[in-house]
Amino acid sequence: MQYLAATGQKARLMEYTRLMVAAGVSFVPYDTQDMLVSPAVSPELMHMINDENDNSTNNGYSDDFCARLMATRFFSIETIIGTLGFLRIREIGPLALRTMATRELLHIPYCRAIENRLDQLAKAGLSTGNSTFSILVRQLVAEGQSHLLASIVSCDLHTDTFDDLRLQESLLAFYYVNSDKMGFDRTMAILLAKVPTGLIPAKRWNLTLRSRLVRQDLEAVKDTIGKMQDLQIQIEPKSVVCMSQKMLSPRQVGRGPAETKELGLLIRIWQDVLRSGGLVPPWVWNEIFRRLGMSGRLIMFEHLALWLASWYSSPTYRTSLSCLLTRRKGDAEPLQPGMVIDLKTSNPLHPLHVIFDPKLQQAIVAWGFQHTFPSHKRSVAYGRRPDWTWGLTLLRKLRESNVYISQPTVRKAFKLRVIGLFGPGNSKRKINQRVRRRNKDGLGAYVGKAKQVWGTDLLHKNPRRLDQAKTSMIRNSITEVR
């Protein structure tokens, strides 16, 4: 077999190979410098030898086959590299590269040993490919980080998982929570392997920020954000979303939050991100508004709503090349450079339409009614008591600020509040029961004041006639506008 390979007699080599495969013996042919036989080679080699007209880069080989070949300690790595060249293989995968690097773990200095092997591969015409693992090995060799390279090579992760960024970021947070510095550094290197050099500092800071958010270490998070602001490093949209998930206290659906202390901090951070030209996915504001509204913090709610309306209507936003469009929750696509935002606020893609959607508009009207008679605890904690027209007034201000406000939505929301106050039924929610119990005004007063605030009739009925009507007449009048 060595002679046939050395003299280039491929036809006879193929014939003898078939006979050996039939007999259950596998082989490895080597180049003219050192031809040996190996029992570690699978029948896959026969296909590569037979296929002389194969135009693929690696002539039909698999990374697993090359890795098993590299693991054959009966032969030197130099001999194996020569064999791969003989087989007209042009690229080895991450498994083969890792196996080769594993055989060099005891060599000191380690990076120099791997560098020599990479040079041998290059001289044999073999590339190491563009997998994350291969790129990372080359980077660490160039930087001389032997300790980290050895950790990368000897860790228990499969090389395919190096390309799974979601898994790697989960591991990064896990190592941070468990104070595993080597695991953290190794995973950070994996995540940064394919990041352009100029973007590495920003990416590193954002990854660190998200790890600290997962640990819910608020002081460490504040410190990280402060340093990022000092260095003028942008907070990524992914980090903004992570903040909304990790910094907000748990809240049951339909119920207000137990704590709202973190809201002010988040609002300030996200406003700073926008002012600095960063991206804040519009839909993350929805939960902020829900918590502010449910907890009765209507003054802060109004200030934030008007600020966002002003920001997203400003020329600065419209001409920004980094503005965000959102098709649906969690699906954010940045605009291409050179594009200018010229969408009407009624367009579902416009951030103001995403933020102030019909559900929030309806809730704004409801919160105005519900917090007219707040509990003693909330009235003391959040300052002056709002009038029930707070919601309608805010929606009118938003409409004047170029926010699209749906007239049918406002009419429906007002109608539902009126039914709750004067209808025959009784709400099971304590906050609605309290409003109905403490209300002293008649239906006509509500309809008239709503028209005064909003500018048009929301029930299309005469307030004086409504006040004089019986309960059944009131119910029928409301039903007519359903």
Side-chain angles (χ1 to χ4, degrees):
M1 295 292 293
Q2 295 178 36
Y3 173 76
L4 293 175
T7 56
Q9 300 184 44
K10 294 184 179 180
R12 290 193 177 183
L13 182 59
M14 180 181 64
E15 182 181 353
Y16 276 83
T17 300
R18 287 174 175 170
L19 292 174
M20 292 180 67
V21 171
V25 179
S26 57
F27 77 102
V28 174
Y30 287 85
D31 61 10
T32 55
Q33 297 178 358
D34 190 3
M35 296 304 303
L36 296 171
V37 176
S38 171
V41 179
S42 68
E44 181 182 359
L45 178 61
M46 183 177 67
H47 168 70
M48 290 189 289
I49 296 177
N50 288 336
D51 191 5
E52 298 185 25
N53 296 319
D54 191 342
N55 293 322
S56 65
T57 303
N58 295 321
N59 212 13
Y61 91 108
S62 73
D63 188 25
D64 182 66
F65 163 73
C66 284
R68 286 185 281 123
L69 183 58
M70 282 288 187
T72 307
R73 294 184 177 273
F74 185 74
F75 305 114
S76 66
I77 294 179
E78 292 89 343
T79 300
I80 296 173
I81 291 175
T83 301
L84 295 177
F86 171 79
L87 296 175
R88 295 182 295 131
I89 292 175
R90 293 293 174 262
E91 181 181 302
I92 65 171
L95 285 176
L97 179 60
R98 184 179 197 171
T99 305
M100 182 191 75
T102 302
R103 292 183 60 174
E104 301 290 327
L105 277 173
L106 298 180
H107 287 76
I108 300 176
Y110 185 51
C111 280
R112 179 64 61 83
I114 300 301
E115 185 178 13
N116 292 336
R117 294 306 183 192
L118 293 177
D119 290 341
Q120 292 173 9
L121 288 170
K123 290 178 181 178
L126 295 169
S127 168
T128 54
N130 292 316
S131 66
T132 299
F133 178 83
S134 301
I135 292 174
L136 184 57
V137 168
R138 296 195 297 268
Q139 288 178 351
L140 296 178
V141 167
E143 296 169 3
Q145 300 191 49
S146 295
H147 191 51
L148 186 54
L149 177 59
S151 177
I152 293 289
V153 171
S154 60
C155 71
D156 57 359
L157 293 174
H158 192 279
T159 54
D160 288 347
T161 64
F162 282 54
D163 294 293
D164 188 342
L165 299 183
R166 180 176 296 180
L167 171 63
Q168 293 299 329
E169 189 161 340
S170 298
L171 289 174
L172 186 72
F174 173 81
Y175 292 134
Y176 179 81
V177 170
N178 291 277
S179 302
D180 185 343
K181 187 177 185 306
M182 177 50 67
F184 184 86
D185 292 343
R186 179 180 63 239
T187 310
M188 181 67 77
I190 294 172
L191 288 166
L192 297 176
K194 290 186 175 181
V195 177
T197 304
L199 301 179
I200 287 179
K203 191 67 176 180
R204 186 188 300 274
W205 275 105
N206 275 279
L207 288 169
T208 301
L209 173 61
R210 293 199 287 272
S211 297
R212 293 180 175 179
L213 284 167
V214 171
R215 191 175 182 178
Q216 296 184 329
D217 187 348
L218 188 57
E219 291 303 318
V221 168
K222 290 180 180 179
D223 180 67
T224 303
I225 293 174
K227 291 179 179 178
M228 292 175 70
Q229 290 175 340
D230 293 340
L231 296 171
Q232 296 183 343
I233 292 176
Q234 290 287 356
I235 296 177
E236 297 175 351
K238 188 174 182 179
S239 299
V240 171
V241 174
C242 189
M243 288 182 197
S244 68
Q245 296 171 344
K246 301 300 181 182
M247 291 182 67
L248 293 176
S249 58
R251 179 182 70 85
Q252 294 183 4
V253 177
R255 295 181 178 272
E259 298 288 340
T260 59
K261 297 178 181 179
E262 71 280 1
L263 293 178
L265 175 61
L266 270 180
I267 291 171
R268 288 193 299 272
I269 293 172
W270 292 353
Q271 285 177 328
D272 289 341
V273 171
L274 289 174
R275 290 190 188 102
S276 62
L279 308 179
V280 176
W283 57 266
V284 300
W285 295 106
N286 294 352
E287 181 62 22
I288 300 294
F289 280 126
R290 288 192 193 99
R291 289 170 182 258
L292 290 174
M294 288 181 174
S295 60
R297 305 189 69 170
L298 303 186
I299 296 176
M300 183 180 289
F301 188 112
E302 183 171 346
H303 289 166
L304 177 60
L306 295 177
W307 187 90
L308 289 174
S310 174
W311 173 261
Y312 284 113
S313 299
S314 66
T316 302
Y317 166 73
R318 290 196 300 269
T319 58
S320 174
L321 302 181
S322 60
C323 291
L324 207 65
L325 290 181
T326 303
R327 291 184 179 275
R328 60 181 183 276
K329 184 176 181 180
D331 182 16
E333 299 178 358
L335 291 177
Q336 296 299 319
M339 293 183 67
V340 178
I341 295 178
D342 190 21
L343 295 176
K344 294 182 179 179
T345 55
S346 59
N347 191 312
L349 297 178
H350 197 286
L352 288 176
H353 196 286
V354 175
I355 297 172
F356 301 103
D357 60 7
K359 288 185 178 180
L360 182 59
Q361 293 178 25
Q362 189 168 337
I364 289 174
V365 176
W367 288 324
F369 276 81
Q370 292 173 347
H371 296 297
T372 300
F373 304 103
S375 64
H376 176 71
K377 179 179 178 181
R378 283 182 176 171
S379 62
V380 172
Y382 303 133
R384 63 180 177 82
R385 186 185 73 180
D387 186 81
W388 67 266
T389 59
W390 171 86
L392 292 175
T393 303
L394 176 57
L395 290 178
R396 189 199 69 218
K397 291 179 180 179
L398 291 173
R399 183 176 61 185
E400 294 170 353
S401 299
N402 202 33
V403 177
Y404 174 73
I405 303 298
S406 171
Q407 179 79 5
T409 297
V410 176
R411 181 178 290 117
K412 178 181 178 181
F414 180 72
K415 177 195 67 177
L416 291 175
R417 292 300 104 194
V418 170
I419 291 176
L421 283 173
F422 302 101
N426 196 7
S427 173
K428 296 181 180 180
R429 299 188 63 185
K430 291 182 178 180
I431 189 171
N432 293 331
Q433 293 174 2
R434 182 171 64 247
V435 173
R436 180 164 182 162
R437 185 172 59 253
R438 296 183 181 180
N439 175 51
K440 297 180 180 180
D441 295 329
L443 177 60
Y446 278 88
V447 174
K449 198 166 186 179
K451 179 180 179 181
Q452 181 182 354
V453 172
W454 189 249
T456 59
D457 287 331
L458 293 177
L459 286 182
H460 300 303
K461 293 295 176 181
N462 187 302
R464 182 176 298 177
R465 185 177 65 84
L466 288 175
D467 267 342
Q468 297 173 350
K470 297 180 180 179
T471 301
S472 58
M473 181 69 71
I474 296 174
R475 184 170 62 250
N476 293 336
S477 299
I478 296 173
T479 303
E480 292 177 11
V481 297
R482 289 183 182 181

